Amino acid sequence: MRAIGLDLGSKRIGVALSTSDGVLATPYEVVQRSGDRQRDHRKIRDLALEAEAEVIVVGLPLHLDGRLSESANKALAECDELRATTGLPVETYDERLTTVTAARSLQELNLSPAARKRAIDQVAAAVMLQAWLDHRRAAADAPEQDP
């Protein structure tokens, strides 16, 4: 199952894409926020259609203790809008520390600060999407428990 992952930011939306077998997530694109959320969602719909994605996974920015943050509540509301615009199922997945992980990965590549800034959102989306793919695969591989 091909999935598209989103890291919703106030200025940019990082976009990642999984392989068609749902094994590997890679950075895909950054959508600049236009100030028109419906336009931004149509762009995401077009990317999902182009990639033949079957599901959208949105990073949920929880507090470190797992509570919903103000940003998480905004992301949940935006998920409802994405469902309506794209017609695709939209799932959420914990994105705690994905930006930190992405920043460290980009720093290890010795990229310039400008190059890191351009790539951080889509790399964070890929980190989150990879975690979702791994979790999904582990859940599918786990033996069923009898009650």
Side-chain angles (χ1 to χ4, degrees):
M1 170 194 303
R2 179 159 289 177
I4 195 165
L6 303 178
D7 179 39
L8 300 175
S10 60
K11 296 180 183 177
R12 292 173 299 279
I13 301 170
V15 182
L17 185 63
S18 78
T19 52
S20 60
D21 59 4
V23 172
L24 183 65
T26 57
Y28 190 59
E29 188 165 325
V30 173
V31 174
Q32 296 294 323
R33 291 278 194 178
S34 68
D36 179 344
R37 192 178 276 187
Q38 288 186 347
R39 178 190 299 167
D40 300 342
H41 292 176
R42 287 191 301 268
K43 172 70 173 168
I44 291 166
R45 178 197 61 208
D46 293 346
L47 290 171
L49 287 170
E50 173 185 299
E52 299 178 348
E54 300 170 55
V55 63
I56 297 172
V57 182
V58 175
L60 195 60
L62 301 171
H63 286 293
L64 288 177
D65 65 5
R67 291 178 298 119
L68 288 176
S69 66
E70 182 180 337
S71 296
N73 285 319
K74 289 178 182 179
L76 290 170
E78 193 163 351
C79 286
D80 292 337
E81 296 171 17
L82 278 163
R83 271 185 209 93
T85 301
T86 64
L88 290 171
V90 177
E91 296 187 23
T92 59
Y93 196 75
D94 182 0
E95 72 166 24
R96 284 178 283 183
L97 303 178
T98 57
T99 301
V100 172
T101 302
R104 286 182 182 152
S105 297
L106 291 170
Q107 193 168 14
E108 288 173 6
L109 294 174
N110 293 321
L111 296 176
S112 71
R116 287 195 303 260
K117 185 177 180 179
R118 285 191 303 271
I120 190 76
D121 298 302
Q122 60 185 323
V123 173
V127 169
M128 180 276 304
L129 183 57
Q130 187 65 56
W132 179 83
L133 293 167
D134 293 345
H135 179 266
R136 189 171 176 271
R137 195 168 43 258
D141 292 345
E144 290 189 33
Q145 299 286 327
D146 286 330

